[in-house]
Amino acid sequence: MKFLAILRTLERDFQLVVDTVIDINTHLISTENLRAPEDATETFHILGEAKILPMEFVEKFSPVAGMRNIVVHDYEKVDVEKMINDIKKDIGQFGEYAVYVDDFLKKIA
């Protein structure tokens, strides 16, 4: 039972962090008058096209939106072990994202 509670907490925290990132993307797209995204993943690509995020980073980071959808909507069965390993391996990308956004905001301030 304890493992399930920890897993649900991990899933929810992951969802909230990714939701926040997507909200930031959407806000930047709006304030910079960029084209409207079709979906959450595209928000990353639009910011890459606008040189707000490096495209190389966009390619490796944007799949978090799809993983968030799987976790939230249970579109397919989540491979828990893979999810945990991916989060451990790639957690630094969220910090990298924050640095890119901060650098952009400093340029326009």
Side-chain angles (χ1 to χ4, degrees):
M1 271 318 239
K2 187 175 181 178
F3 175 76
L4 286 179
I6 292 170
L7 177 60
R8 295 298 168 243
T9 301
L10 173 64
E11 289 173 343
R12 179 69 174 143
D13 287 349
F14 177 77
Q15 174 198 350
L16 292 172
V17 170
V18 175
D19 284 348
T20 301
V21 166
I22 293 167
D23 287 347
I24 292 167
N25 290 356
T26 303
H27 182 76
L28 290 172
I29 288 167
S30 176
T31 58
E32 294 300 304
N33 296 312
L34 303 174
R35 67 181 173 86
E38 299 274 329
D39 58 29
T41 301
E42 192 175 17
T43 66
F44 294 95
H45 293 277
I46 292 168
L47 294 182
E49 292 164 6
K51 308 275 191 261
I52 294 170
L53 298 175
M55 282 306 284
E56 183 178 313
F57 177 74
V58 166
E59 294 302 325
K60 69 180 180 179
F61 190 58
S62 64
V64 299
M67 182 59 166
R68 175 236 176 253
N69 289 341
I70 291 169
V71 168
V72 172
H73 302 294
D74 201 22
Y75 287 141
E76 41 188 272
K77 186 163 175 54
V78 175
D79 180 339
V80 174
E81 188 174 334
K82 181 181 182 326
M83 182 183 76
I84 291 169
N85 287 334
D86 286 350
I87 289 171
K88 283 180 182 177
K89 179 177 65 89
D90 298 329
I91 194 78
Q93 290 179 359
F94 290 95
E96 191 176 349
Y97 170 84
V99 169
Y100 290 131
V101 170
D102 185 55
D103 288 347
F104 173 74
L105 293 175
K106 286 176 182 172
K107 287 178 193 173
I108 64 170

